[in-house]
Amino acid sequence: MHSTNRSLSYPLSSAEASVVNRSPFTVSSTDAERLFACESFQIVRKHLAKEQSHYFCAEHRPASREDEDAWLLHRDITHALILPLLQIYRRASDIAEVRLSPSHAIDRETAYRGPARDAFSWLQCFVIEEKDWCSTKGCPACVVTNVLQSETTIRMIIVACRLSEHLRHENGVDSLPKFTFWLRSLRVAMDNDSFWGPGDWEEIESKASTLKEGMEELMRQCRELELVCPTKSSRSRPVKSPLASTNMPSLKVSSAAVQQLLLQREYEEWRRSMALTYWASQLADSKHQSHFIKTGGLKTACTRLLQPRLRAMTT
């Protein structure tokens, strides 16, 4: 995989610019009907229609009412996918606080073992880095297009889609939408994207499968720990569908997650510096400028220079 962040791509081509106000995702009429028939999804849509913005930024202003409706639907799907994972993280954080002593409560990931700890740590870093996106506020189109912004956001959506099946079995078949159709749409969007393209799906999906297994293990360990040391919320509230609460939960992060994120950001700055340095050196040589642009020299060079470290950072 050539990179983990779409923002490092070269400027938009004229073809990309001409369709920037249309969603990269599609939903068939059959899948839309099934989605609209789901009561919990309709609750989410009504909440978002009342609380979230319907105003589009200048870059994504829809050309038609059909495009606007598509953006809003896709924003609502994104919100419905992210919300259960954030609720899992909040629940796991609350349980960890109760289980750990006050001196260790800030490092909540230590309450869990094995893949569950890895999943919890990954979620912590994600909610710090993508806090604004997780709120799904602002321009609906910006929320939707941000799905393809980085490897981590794509992985999050894949996990959310896969985990929705697990949550459906836990909460009842009709309590949650079935999002398998969104996986197909995401793969097509990646294949058609000028930055990602065909071939990147398999690697990201493999990492998402590992993360999904960790999430399921985290949920299992949460249930075990709640039997031993139930939280106030688990004692006072009945079990509900993950979409029953439409508000984004308040999120807490540990010191270890902050340290990991700072290291990741330092690495990202180094990577950007390397890419820009190479690009500048190539464009400075007029003899190689045309060949560089035609052959995608920046992408090739970044791949060769950064691939080993990228794989280490995203595993």
Side-chain angles (χ1 to χ4, degrees):
M1 187 170 64
H2 45 70
S3 177
T4 59
N5 195 321
R6 195 175 190 270
S7 64
L8 289 178
S9 180
Y10 34 78
L12 288 176
S13 66
S14 58
E16 288 178 307
S18 66
V19 296
V20 73
N21 63 344
R22 301 193 67 182
S23 175
F25 305 105
T26 58
V27 179
S28 70
S29 57
T30 301
D31 289 325
E33 288 176 4
R34 291 172 180 168
L35 198 57
F36 295 150
C38 178
E39 183 179 359
S40 60
F41 184 71
Q42 288 306 308
I43 293 174
V44 169
R45 294 213 79 191
K46 290 177 181 178
H47 169 78
L48 294 177
K50 180 181 179 181
E51 301 293 335
Q52 301 288 59
S53 172
H54 282 208
Y55 295 100
F56 291 80
C57 66
E59 182 182 2
H60 293 116
R61 191 168 293 118
S64 66
R65 180 59 183 271
E66 181 180 5
D67 289 338
E68 179 179 350
D69 290 344
W71 281 122
L72 292 173
L73 173 60
H74 299 172
R75 187 275 309 274
D76 296 350
I77 291 173
T78 302
H79 181 100
L81 283 167
I82 295 173
L83 181 58
L85 269 65
L86 297 185
Q87 291 177 331
I88 290 170
Y89 174 67
R90 181 179 65 175
R91 176 190 178 196
S93 294
D94 290 344
I95 293 172
E97 278 193 353
V98 173
R99 172 182 166 84
L100 298 173
S101 63
S103 60
H104 293 88
I106 193 169
D107 295 319
R108 299 178 186 87
E109 64 275 359
T110 58
Y112 303 100
R113 310 178 306 277
R117 179 180 293 185
D118 294 338
F120 185 84
S121 297
W122 190 93
L123 267 178
Q124 285 193 113
C125 291
F126 185 88
V127 298
I128 299 173
E129 184 69 16
E130 300 292 345
K131 181 180 180 180
D132 292 339
W133 180 62
C134 287
S135 72
T136 63
K137 294 181 179 179
C139 169
C142 288
V143 172
V144 174
T145 55
N146 198 78
V147 171
L148 297 175
Q149 181 69 15
S150 69
E151 184 269 346
T152 53
T153 49
I154 294 172
R155 198 194 311 190
M156 180 74 159
I157 293 301
I158 294 175
V159 170
C161 289
R162 300 284 191 208
L163 205 61
S164 66
E165 280 297 304
H166 182 85
L167 295 173
R168 279 166 61 86
H169 291 308
E170 281 203 342
N171 295 277
V173 175
D174 296 326
S175 64
L176 288 171
K178 191 172 184 179
F179 285 113
T180 51
F181 73 91
W182 198 244
L183 277 178
R184 296 192 297 270
S185 184
L186 176 58
R187 180 165 189 170
V188 171
M190 286 186 64
D191 287 346
N192 293 332
D193 186 82
S194 62
F195 181 76
W196 296 110
D200 286 323
W201 172 265
E202 286 76 11
E203 184 171 348
I204 298 179
E205 185 183 36
S206 175
K207 294 176 182 178
S209 296
T210 301
L211 181 58
K212 170 185 169 288
E213 293 171 1
M215 294 284 190
E216 292 176 348
E217 177 62 16
L218 177 62
M219 294 168 66
R220 188 190 68 79
Q221 290 186 26
C222 281
R223 289 192 294 269
E224 289 182 351
L225 292 174
E226 275 191 319
L227 293 175
V228 178
C229 47
T231 63
K232 291 181 180 179
S233 59
S234 66
R235 289 194 298 264
S236 60
R237 289 203 309 262
V239 176
K240 298 187 295 183
S241 163
L243 293 186
S245 174
T246 54
N247 292 315
M248 286 296 177
S250 57
L251 303 173
K252 306 171 184 179
V253 294
S254 72
S255 59
V258 173
Q259 292 171 3
Q260 183 176 349
L261 182 63
L262 289 175
L263 288 173
Q264 183 174 345
R265 284 179 175 173
E266 182 179 351
Y267 169 76
E268 290 289 339
E269 289 302 317
W270 173 85
R271 187 177 69 176
R272 288 188 177 93
S273 176
M274 288 291 293
L276 290 173
T277 300
Y278 180 85
W279 196 357
S281 66
Q282 290 294 317
L283 291 179
D285 187 346
S286 59
K287 293 182 180 179
H288 296 95
Q289 182 173 354
S290 177
H291 176 74
F292 172 75
I293 294 174
K294 290 179 180 178
T295 58
L298 175 62
K299 186 184 293 186
T300 303
C302 287
T303 300
R304 292 175 180 173
L305 286 170
L306 308 177
Q307 190 79 298
R309 298 196 183 193
L310 288 172
R311 292 187 183 282
M313 287 295 298
T314 56
T315 301

Short mmCIF file of all heavy atoms in Angstrom, two decimals, residues 2 6 9-10 12-13 15-20 22-27 148 154 183-202 299:
data_model
loop_
_atom_site.label_atom_id
_atom_site.label_comp_id
_atom_site.label_asym_id
_atom_site.label_seq_id
_atom_site.Cartn_x
_atom_site.Cartn_y
_atom_site.Cartn_z
N HIS A 2 0.64 2.19 -0.86
CA HIS A 2 1.57 3.26 -1.09
C HIS A 2 1.63 4.30 0.01
O HIS A 2 2.64 4.95 0.21
CB HIS A 2 1.25 3.97 -2.41
CG HIS A 2 -0.21 4.26 -2.61
ND1 HIS A 2 -0.88 5.21 -1.87
CD2 HIS A 2 -1.12 3.71 -3.46
CE1 HIS A 2 -2.16 5.25 -2.28
NE2 HIS A 2 -2.32 4.36 -3.23
N ARG A 6 -4.50 10.11 2.54
CA ARG A 6 -4.86 10.61 1.21
C ARG A 6 -4.44 12.06 1.01
O ARG A 6 -4.26 12.52 -0.11
CB ARG A 6 -6.38 10.50 1.03
CG ARG A 6 -6.88 10.64 -0.38
CD ARG A 6 -8.37 10.39 -0.42
NE ARG A 6 -8.85 10.27 -1.77
CZ ARG A 6 -9.28 11.30 -2.50
NH1 ARG A 6 -9.23 12.50 -1.99
NH2 ARG A 6 -9.73 11.11 -3.73
N SER A 9 -1.60 13.07 -1.29
CA SER A 9 -1.71 12.91 -2.72
C SER A 9 -1.40 14.21 -3.44
O SER A 9 -1.45 15.29 -2.87
CB SER A 9 -3.13 12.44 -3.09
OG SER A 9 -3.27 12.27 -4.47
N TYR A 10 -1.07 14.08 -4.69
CA TYR A 10 -0.85 15.24 -5.54
C TYR A 10 -2.17 15.99 -5.72
O TYR A 10 -3.23 15.48 -5.42
CB TYR A 10 -0.29 14.80 -6.90
CG TYR A 10 -0.84 13.47 -7.34
CD1 TYR A 10 -2.13 13.37 -7.87
CD2 TYR A 10 -0.12 12.29 -7.16
CE1 TYR A 10 -2.66 12.16 -8.23
CE2 TYR A 10 -0.66 11.07 -7.53
CZ TYR A 10 -1.92 11.01 -8.07
OH TYR A 10 -2.45 9.79 -8.43
N LEU A 12 -5.75 17.58 -6.94
CA LEU A 12 -6.84 16.94 -7.67
C LEU A 12 -6.69 17.14 -9.17
O LEU A 12 -6.34 18.21 -9.64
CB LEU A 12 -8.19 17.54 -7.23
CG LEU A 12 -8.70 17.16 -5.84
CD1 LEU A 12 -9.98 17.94 -5.57
CD2 LEU A 12 -8.93 15.69 -5.72
N SER A 13 -6.97 16.09 -9.91
CA SER A 13 -6.99 16.20 -11.36
C SER A 13 -8.26 16.91 -11.80
O SER A 13 -9.18 17.10 -11.01
CB SER A 13 -6.95 14.79 -11.98
OG SER A 13 -8.15 14.10 -11.68
N ALA A 15 -10.50 15.76 -13.68
CA ALA A 15 -11.61 14.80 -13.59
C ALA A 15 -12.16 14.74 -12.17
O ALA A 15 -13.36 14.69 -11.95
CB ALA A 15 -11.14 13.41 -14.04
N GLU A 16 -11.24 14.74 -11.19
CA GLU A 16 -11.67 14.71 -9.79
C GLU A 16 -12.41 16.00 -9.44
O GLU A 16 -13.44 15.98 -8.77
CB GLU A 16 -10.46 14.55 -8.87
CG GLU A 16 -9.84 13.17 -8.89
CD GLU A 16 -8.63 13.10 -7.99
OE1 GLU A 16 -7.73 13.93 -8.14
OE2 GLU A 16 -8.60 12.21 -7.12
N ALA A 17 -11.88 17.10 -9.88
CA ALA A 17 -12.48 18.39 -9.55
C ALA A 17 -13.89 18.51 -10.10
O ALA A 17 -14.76 19.15 -9.50
CB ALA A 17 -11.62 19.52 -10.10
N SER A 18 -14.15 17.88 -11.23
CA SER A 18 -15.46 18.01 -11.87
C SER A 18 -16.54 17.23 -11.13
O SER A 18 -17.72 17.50 -11.30
CB SER A 18 -15.39 17.51 -13.32
OG SER A 18 -15.12 16.12 -13.35
N VAL A 19 -16.14 16.25 -10.29
CA VAL A 19 -17.13 15.45 -9.57
C VAL A 19 -16.99 15.61 -8.06
O VAL A 19 -17.51 14.82 -7.30
CB VAL A 19 -17.00 13.95 -9.94
CG1 VAL A 19 -17.32 13.74 -11.40
CG2 VAL A 19 -15.61 13.41 -9.61
N VAL A 20 -16.28 16.66 -7.62
CA VAL A 20 -16.03 16.81 -6.20
C VAL A 20 -17.31 17.07 -5.42
O VAL A 20 -17.37 16.86 -4.21
CB VAL A 20 -15.01 17.94 -5.96
CG1 VAL A 20 -15.65 19.31 -6.20
CG2 VAL A 20 -14.41 17.86 -4.56
N ARG A 22 -20.08 15.46 -5.81
CA ARG A 22 -20.88 14.23 -5.80
C ARG A 22 -20.23 13.22 -4.88
O ARG A 22 -19.01 13.09 -4.83
CB ARG A 22 -21.02 13.66 -7.21
CG ARG A 22 -21.67 14.61 -8.20
CD ARG A 22 -22.06 13.91 -9.48
NE ARG A 22 -23.13 12.94 -9.26
CZ ARG A 22 -23.63 12.16 -10.21
NH1 ARG A 22 -23.15 12.25 -11.45
NH2 ARG A 22 -24.59 11.31 -9.95
N SER A 23 -21.04 12.47 -4.16
CA SER A 23 -20.52 11.50 -3.21
C SER A 23 -19.79 10.35 -3.93
O SER A 23 -20.24 9.90 -4.99
CB SER A 23 -21.66 10.91 -2.38
OG SER A 23 -21.18 9.87 -1.53
N PRO A 24 -18.68 9.88 -3.36
CA PRO A 24 -17.98 8.74 -3.95
C PRO A 24 -18.68 7.41 -3.69
O PRO A 24 -18.30 6.39 -4.25
CB PRO A 24 -16.61 8.77 -3.25
CG PRO A 24 -16.90 9.41 -1.92
CD PRO A 24 -17.98 10.43 -2.18
N PHE A 25 -19.74 7.45 -2.87
CA PHE A 25 -20.46 6.23 -2.51
C PHE A 25 -21.82 6.17 -3.20
O PHE A 25 -22.38 7.21 -3.58
CB PHE A 25 -20.63 6.14 -0.99
CG PHE A 25 -19.34 6.23 -0.24
CD1 PHE A 25 -18.99 7.39 0.43
CD2 PHE A 25 -18.46 5.16 -0.22
CE1 PHE A 25 -17.79 7.49 1.12
CE2 PHE A 25 -17.26 5.24 0.46
CZ PHE A 25 -16.92 6.40 1.13
N THR A 26 -22.34 4.97 -3.31
CA THR A 26 -23.66 4.77 -3.90
C THR A 26 -24.46 3.79 -3.04
O THR A 26 -23.88 2.91 -2.39
CB THR A 26 -23.57 4.22 -5.33
OG1 THR A 26 -22.84 2.97 -5.32
CG2 THR A 26 -22.87 5.20 -6.26
N VAL A 27 -25.78 3.95 -3.06
CA VAL A 27 -26.69 3.05 -2.36
C VAL A 27 -27.80 2.68 -3.33
O VAL A 27 -28.47 3.58 -3.87
CB VAL A 27 -27.29 3.71 -1.10
CG1 VAL A 27 -28.25 2.74 -0.40
CG2 VAL A 27 -26.18 4.14 -0.14
N LEU A 148 -12.48 8.41 3.12
CA LEU A 148 -11.37 7.99 2.26
C LEU A 148 -10.10 8.78 2.54
O LEU A 148 -9.12 8.64 1.80
CB LEU A 148 -11.76 8.17 0.79
CG LEU A 148 -12.93 7.33 0.29
CD1 LEU A 148 -13.27 7.70 -1.15
CD2 LEU A 148 -12.62 5.84 0.39
N ILE A 154 -10.73 4.48 6.88
CA ILE A 154 -11.27 3.37 6.10
C ILE A 154 -11.38 2.12 6.95
O ILE A 154 -12.40 1.42 6.95
CB ILE A 154 -10.38 3.09 4.86
CG1 ILE A 154 -10.43 4.27 3.89
CG2 ILE A 154 -10.83 1.81 4.16
CD1 ILE A 154 -9.45 4.17 2.74
N LEU A 183 -20.15 -1.86 2.71
CA LEU A 183 -18.82 -2.42 2.43
C LEU A 183 -18.57 -2.50 0.94
O LEU A 183 -17.48 -2.16 0.45
CB LEU A 183 -18.69 -3.82 3.05
CG LEU A 183 -18.30 -3.91 4.52
CD1 LEU A 183 -18.28 -5.37 4.95
CD2 LEU A 183 -16.94 -3.27 4.77
N ARG A 184 -19.58 -2.95 0.20
CA ARG A 184 -19.44 -3.03 -1.27
C ARG A 184 -19.23 -1.63 -1.85
O ARG A 184 -18.38 -1.43 -2.74
CB ARG A 184 -20.68 -3.68 -1.88
CG ARG A 184 -20.89 -5.13 -1.46
CD ARG A 184 -21.97 -5.80 -2.31
NE ARG A 184 -23.28 -5.17 -2.16
CZ ARG A 184 -24.18 -5.53 -1.26
NH1 ARG A 184 -23.91 -6.51 -0.41
NH2 ARG A 184 -25.36 -4.92 -1.20
N SER A 185 -19.99 -0.67 -1.36
CA SER A 185 -19.87 0.69 -1.86
C SER A 185 -18.50 1.27 -1.54
O SER A 185 -17.89 1.97 -2.36
CB SER A 185 -20.97 1.57 -1.26
OG SER A 185 -20.92 2.87 -1.79
N LEU A 186 -17.99 0.98 -0.33
CA LEU A 186 -16.68 1.47 0.07
C LEU A 186 -15.58 0.89 -0.82
O LEU A 186 -14.66 1.60 -1.23
CB LEU A 186 -16.42 1.11 1.53
CG LEU A 186 -15.04 1.47 2.11
CD1 LEU A 186 -14.77 2.97 1.99
CD2 LEU A 186 -14.94 1.02 3.57
N ARG A 187 -15.69 -0.39 -1.12
CA ARG A 187 -14.66 -1.01 -1.97
C ARG A 187 -14.68 -0.40 -3.37
O ARG A 187 -13.62 -0.13 -3.94
CB ARG A 187 -14.88 -2.51 -2.04
CG ARG A 187 -13.84 -3.20 -2.92
CD ARG A 187 -13.80 -4.68 -2.74
NE ARG A 187 -12.65 -5.26 -3.43
CZ ARG A 187 -12.25 -6.51 -3.30
NH1 ARG A 187 -12.89 -7.32 -2.48
NH2 ARG A 187 -11.19 -6.95 -3.96
N VAL A 188 -15.86 -0.20 -3.93
CA VAL A 188 -15.96 0.41 -5.26
C VAL A 188 -15.39 1.82 -5.23
O VAL A 188 -14.66 2.23 -6.16
CB VAL A 188 -17.43 0.42 -5.74
CG1 VAL A 188 -17.56 1.25 -7.02
CG2 VAL A 188 -17.92 -1.00 -5.99
N ALA A 189 -15.69 2.58 -4.17
CA ALA A 189 -15.18 3.95 -4.06
C ALA A 189 -13.66 3.96 -4.00
O ALA A 189 -13.00 4.81 -4.61
CB ALA A 189 -15.77 4.62 -2.82
N MET A 190 -13.08 3.00 -3.28
CA MET A 190 -11.62 2.91 -3.21
C MET A 190 -11.02 2.54 -4.56
O MET A 190 -10.01 3.10 -4.99
CB MET A 190 -11.20 1.90 -2.15
CG MET A 190 -11.36 2.37 -0.72
SD MET A 190 -10.68 1.16 0.46
CE MET A 190 -8.94 1.21 0.01
N ASP A 191 -11.64 1.58 -5.21
CA ASP A 191 -11.13 1.14 -6.52
C ASP A 191 -11.16 2.28 -7.54
O ASP A 191 -10.28 2.37 -8.41
CB ASP A 191 -11.96 -0.03 -7.05
CG ASP A 191 -11.66 -1.33 -6.30
OD1 ASP A 191 -10.66 -1.37 -5.57
OD2 ASP A 191 -12.45 -2.29 -6.44
N ASN A 192 -12.15 3.15 -7.43
CA ASN A 192 -12.30 4.26 -8.39
C ASN A 192 -11.55 5.51 -7.97
O ASN A 192 -11.51 6.48 -8.72
CB ASN A 192 -13.79 4.60 -8.57
CG ASN A 192 -14.55 3.48 -9.25
OD1 ASN A 192 -13.99 2.71 -10.03
ND2 ASN A 192 -15.84 3.37 -8.96
N ASP A 193 -10.98 5.49 -6.76
CA ASP A 193 -10.30 6.68 -6.25
C ASP A 193 -8.91 6.79 -6.87
O ASP A 193 -8.18 5.80 -6.99
CB ASP A 193 -10.19 6.57 -4.73
CG ASP A 193 -9.64 7.84 -4.11
OD1 ASP A 193 -10.43 8.77 -3.90
OD2 ASP A 193 -8.43 7.90 -3.85
N SER A 194 -8.54 8.02 -7.26
CA SER A 194 -7.26 8.22 -7.94
C SER A 194 -6.07 8.03 -7.00
O SER A 194 -4.95 7.78 -7.46
CB SER A 194 -7.20 9.62 -8.54
OG SER A 194 -7.29 10.61 -7.52
N PHE A 195 -6.29 8.14 -5.70
CA PHE A 195 -5.20 7.94 -4.76
C PHE A 195 -5.08 6.48 -4.33
O PHE A 195 -4.01 5.89 -4.37
CB PHE A 195 -5.37 8.84 -3.54
CG PHE A 195 -4.26 8.69 -2.53
CD1 PHE A 195 -3.03 9.25 -2.75
CD2 PHE A 195 -4.47 7.98 -1.36
CE1 PHE A 195 -2.00 9.11 -1.83
CE2 PHE A 195 -3.45 7.84 -0.42
CZ PHE A 195 -2.21 8.41 -0.66
N TRP A 196 -6.20 5.91 -3.89
CA TRP A 196 -6.14 4.53 -3.42
C TRP A 196 -6.07 3.55 -4.59
O TRP A 196 -5.09 2.88 -4.80
CB TRP A 196 -7.34 4.23 -2.52
CG TRP A 196 -7.37 5.03 -1.27
CD1 TRP A 196 -8.23 6.04 -0.94
CD2 TRP A 196 -6.47 4.91 -0.15
NE1 TRP A 196 -7.93 6.55 0.29
CE2 TRP A 196 -6.86 5.87 0.81
CE3 TRP A 196 -5.39 4.09 0.14
CZ2 TRP A 196 -6.20 6.03 2.03
CZ3 TRP A 196 -4.72 4.25 1.35
CH2 TRP A 196 -5.13 5.20 2.27
N GLY A 197 -7.15 3.47 -5.35
CA GLY A 197 -7.15 2.60 -6.52
C GLY A 197 -7.25 1.12 -6.16
O GLY A 197 -7.20 0.72 -4.99
N PRO A 198 -7.38 0.26 -7.19
CA PRO A 198 -7.47 -1.18 -6.97
C PRO A 198 -6.19 -1.71 -6.31
O PRO A 198 -5.10 -1.25 -6.58
CB PRO A 198 -7.62 -1.74 -8.40
CG PRO A 198 -8.10 -0.59 -9.22
CD PRO A 198 -7.49 0.64 -8.61
N GLY A 199 -6.35 -2.67 -5.44
CA GLY A 199 -5.20 -3.29 -4.80
C GLY A 199 -5.00 -2.90 -3.35
O GLY A 199 -4.34 -3.62 -2.60
N ASP A 200 -5.54 -1.76 -2.92
CA ASP A 200 -5.36 -1.33 -1.54
C ASP A 200 -6.39 -1.96 -0.59
O ASP A 200 -6.15 -2.03 0.61
CB ASP A 200 -5.45 0.19 -1.44
CG ASP A 200 -4.21 0.88 -2.01
OD1 ASP A 200 -3.11 0.34 -1.82
OD2 ASP A 200 -4.36 1.93 -2.65
N TRP A 201 -7.52 -2.37 -1.12
CA TRP A 201 -8.60 -2.89 -0.28
C TRP A 201 -8.15 -4.10 0.53
O TRP A 201 -8.41 -4.19 1.74
CB TRP A 201 -9.79 -3.26 -1.15
CG TRP A 201 -10.88 -3.98 -0.41
CD1 TRP A 201 -11.07 -5.33 -0.32
CD2 TRP A 201 -11.92 -3.39 0.39
NE1 TRP A 201 -12.16 -5.61 0.46
CE2 TRP A 201 -12.69 -4.45 0.91
CE3 TRP A 201 -12.25 -2.08 0.70
CZ2 TRP A 201 -13.80 -4.22 1.72
CZ3 TRP A 201 -13.36 -1.86 1.51
CH2 TRP A 201 -14.11 -2.92 2.01
N GLU A 202 -7.48 -5.05 -0.10
CA GLU A 202 -7.15 -6.31 0.56
C GLU A 202 -6.29 -6.09 1.81
O GLU A 202 -6.53 -6.70 2.86
CB GLU A 202 -6.42 -7.26 -0.40
CG GLU A 202 -7.31 -7.90 -1.45
CD GLU A 202 -7.69 -6.94 -2.58
OE1 GLU A 202 -7.08 -5.83 -2.64
OE2 GLU A 202 -8.58 -7.29 -3.37
N LYS A 299 4.77 9.44 -5.84
CA LYS A 299 4.15 8.27 -5.22
C LYS A 299 5.14 7.10 -5.17
O LYS A 299 5.27 6.41 -4.17
CB LYS A 299 2.90 7.88 -6.01
CG LYS A 299 2.11 6.76 -5.36
CD LYS A 299 0.94 6.33 -6.23
CE LYS A 299 -0.09 7.42 -6.35
NZ LYS A 299 -1.28 6.96 -7.09
#
